[in-house]
Amino acid sequence: MNVTTIKDIAKIAGVSHSTVSRALNNSSALNEETKKRILEIARDLNYTPNTSARSLVLSKSYNIGVFFSSIYDGTSSSFFHNVIKSISEKVGSNYNIIVKSIDTYIESYNSINPKNFDGIIVVSQKKEDDSFIKKVIEKMIPVVVLNREVKDLEVNNIVSNEIIGVYEGIKHLINLGHKDIAIIEGKEDFESTKVRRKGYLKAFSEFKIDIMNEFIVKGDYGLESGYLRAKDLLKLEHKPSVIFAFNDDMALGAMKAILEAGLRVPEDISILGFDGSVFSHYLTPSISTIKRPIEEICYYGVKILFNIMKNKNVEIEKKSFKTFFIERDSILPKK
Amino acid sequence: MNVTTIKDIAKIAGVSHSTVSRALNNSSALNEETKKRILEIARDLNYTPNTSARSLVLSKSYNIGVFFSSIYDGTSSSFFHNVIKSISEKVGSNYNIIVKSIDTYIESYNSINPKNFDGIIVVSQKKEDDSFIKKVIEKMIPVVVLNREVKDLEVNNIVSNEIIGVYEGIKHLINLGHKDIAIIEGKEDFESTKVRRKGYLKAFSEFKIDIMNEFIVKGDYGLESGYLRAKDLLKLEHKPSVIFAFNDDMALGAMKAILEAGLRVPEDISILGFDGSVFSHYLTPSISTIKRPIEEICYYGVKILFNIMKNKNVEIEKKSFKTFFIERDSILPKK
DNA sequence: GTGAAAGCGCTAACAA
DNA sequence: TTGTTAGCGCTTTCAC
């Protein structure tokens, strides 16, 4: 015998396979005794249901797809881990979590079918994900998009307001007398880059700070790029008094570059990061950063997803959590 | 109409559904023209196959399970991300990667069925995972266990030899004159803790270094525990001249504690980490560490898994990759 | 309380 | 080259 099926159990128990099915799903009225007997046999035979068969008849896959724009490029480890942890925790173990990277998911989105996914969570970074999201919507799969504000599509969308956090962080810097604020931006095609940029531009314009073009450099959210771009900044004749990196990883890289140049953090150059990742607190100096509530976003996203899965007609929801500036030791007033 | 099926296509194309199936799988000889027509209709109708149905008949799920001992506790973000990236990359997009945490995967391993998983990768930390692995083997699911050496089970097993790396790291320290080497161990129930312990014990005994009980403390692989345990160590009257943390996260925590105490790294206290995670290189000072080749382990693991999946009768393979000491700036000779 | 039978969407053996 | 048919393992309706 290969794998135990309900038929095998039925034969041994001397009942029909439908009775076995009923017992296994402890459905309707059926004799307590036969039920007990069947369950016992199932256990002895090490029975586990064939999910494909069950899915086929129930039109329910017990699969939740978690699609990142990319799991390879531009996604920091702490963010990635945090997202998976939070989603897994909230989803529970009744469902499978299938992790995919949209950028390598070519084959014309071949498995995007409501029968294959009970729900889909898109952890989106790029506007280009819209074509994928659109497919998902067309297929009527319950879907929620996290992390990036989707403008052109009617879809459940949970994000954090990153402009506010950045604005506040920059405002704090300006209030401390800083004007020479350099920025290491993230990947150009990531929305987070554009949004965070808006945040500092808002603060700059409000406080009438001149934007120095040579102070704005492009990173890619990776540690190395933070290091390299900060090195570039330090070569400038007129050096910045602060470096604001668009994520904590790059902030760490930048700090290395500063210290390597024989300068001190924060005495010579202050640093501001973004994400509020755990490790940033343990650096010396601890890095001031802008915290985005990844867990809340994920929890809330899953909650909504399950709502839609249960009750198709709920209204589309857009929600934005706050981000906030966390002051730590990497910032000092301008000398 | 709900979701397009091959029957819908068949009706429109005026052929039988089996012809559609053939066209879709571009099987055997069938009229190029009808095939083309069918494919076109399929595209127009936005057809995507129902994987449950396909799985059911083919006895192939296109699911690869990636089971961690825990995705929540004791698993560092960089390790987790690295593993998922490496496995995903090698597996390719024909398969679904289902990420699970064994510790929360109670319900008597209910979905462990060869029909539900074409293959399973266990990223194992604890001996207790053996009961899970055993179930998988019993069910004849192709399986490979990564990361932890499995002793009591005949199973494909790809690990790294961590004893050697630790031994070399400690030897290096001893050669630099260090004797007061403190250790922050990892989670007690993780095999990695035991193995890395063996590494330093081997070096200690070989070089006849006395083991100071108060120098051996228990962390949990989390940043905070590195910080806290290092603080404890610094309260000792006779302070260590080196702290070796069983992973880079704890090393970072330990460094914070040392610097906070007004001591310098490495001038006053040297630090050695473990993992070779990317960020450890960007810390200041960069942390000397022991590199384990996670990518290689994962790549090789996937390769073997696919081998077994294709050809059931391949021999069981045990393979161990080397770990090696990476010298960086966090270590100085004993004063 | 239980069995018979149909059917979920697909593939494949067998006919034609 | 194509259609008919059976069947993968399961749930569920309808009888009894």
Side-chain angles (χ1 to χ4, degrees), chain A residues 2-5 45-56 60-61 63 71-73 75-78 80-82 84-90 92-100 104-117 135 138-140 223-225 227 252-253 255-257 259-260 278-284 286 329, chain B residues 2-5 45-56 60-61 63 71-73 75-78 80-82 84-90 92-100 104-117 135 138-140 223-225 227 252-253 255-257 259-260 278-284 286 329:
Chain A
N2 216 327
V3 190
T4 316
T5 71
L45 259 47
N46 234 320
Y47 171 80
T48 57
N50 179 323
T51 31
S52 302
R54 179 176 272 174
S55 296
L56 183 56
K60 197 163 179 354
S61 62
N63 288 157
I71 65 171
Y72 305 103
D73 205 13
T75 300
S76 74
S77 295
S78 61
F80 179 76
H81 189 201
N82 232 246
I84 302 284
K85 268 196 296 190
S86 308
I87 292 180
S88 291
E89 190 189 333
K90 192 80 176 174
S93 59
N94 277 145
Y95 287 83
N96 293 319
I97 296 213
I98 295 180
V99 178
K100 291 263 183 198
T104 60
Y105 190 58
I106 13 165
E107 51 249 275
S108 64
Y109 309 137
N110 218 10
S111 70
I112 296 309
N113 184 313
K115 302 296 175 71
N116 302 342
F117 292 101
K135 287 251 187 212
E138 274 167 13
K139 294 281 185 180
M140 313 263 277
L223 288 144
E224 177 75 5
S225 85
Y227 172 69
L252 173 53
M255 183 146 80
K256 180 183 174 69
L259 298 171
E260 247 180 42
V278 181
F279 76 86
S280 64
H281 167 67
Y282 289 93
L283 295 171
T284 308
S286 60
D329 302 334
Chain B
N2 216 330
V3 190
T4 316
T5 71
L45 260 47
N46 235 320
Y47 171 80
T48 57
N50 179 323
T51 31
S52 302
R54 179 176 272 174
S55 295
L56 183 57
K60 198 163 180 353
S61 63
N63 287 157
I71 65 170
Y72 304 102
D73 204 14
T75 300
S76 74
S77 295
S78 61
F80 179 76
H81 190 199
N82 231 245
I84 301 284
K85 269 195 295 188
S86 307
I87 292 180
S88 291
E89 189 189 334
K90 192 79 176 176
S93 58
N94 277 145
Y95 287 84
N96 293 321
I97 295 210
I98 295 180
V99 179
K100 291 263 184 198
T104 61
Y105 191 57
I106 14 166
E107 51 248 276
S108 66
Y109 309 138
N110 217 10
S111 71
I112 296 309
N113 183 313
K115 301 295 176 68
N116 302 343
F117 291 102
K135 288 251 187 210
E138 275 167 11
K139 295 281 184 178
M140 313 265 275
L223 287 143
E224 177 74 5
S225 84
Y227 172 68
L252 174 53
M255 182 145 81
K256 180 183 175 68
L259 298 171
E260 248 180 40
V278 181
F279 76 85
S280 64
H281 167 68
Y282 289 93
L283 295 170
T284 307
S286 61
D329 301 334

Side-chain angles (χ1 to χ4, degrees), chain B residues 196-250:
Chain B
R196 292 170 202 181
R197 180 186 294 148
K198 274 189 193 155
Y200 76 71
L201 288 178
K202 179 166 142 70
F204 280 9
S205 87
E206 213 158 280
F207 288 87
K208 309 223 187 314
I209 306 269
D210 286 337
I211 291 167
M212 312 265 282
N213 279 326
E214 64 271 36
F215 278 179
I216 315 288
V217 297
K218 293 187 197 313
D220 65 9
Y221 285 130
L223 287 143
E224 177 74 5
S225 84
Y227 172 68
L228 257 25
R229 293 296 78 72
K231 263 185 120 161
D232 293 344
L233 289 168
L234 296 177
K235 280 184 205 139
L236 295 173
E237 203 165 334
H238 182 72
K239 290 186 183 44
S241 64
V242 186
I243 294 181
F244 167 38
F246 272 16
N247 75 358
D248 290 338
D249 278 10
M250 292 195 297

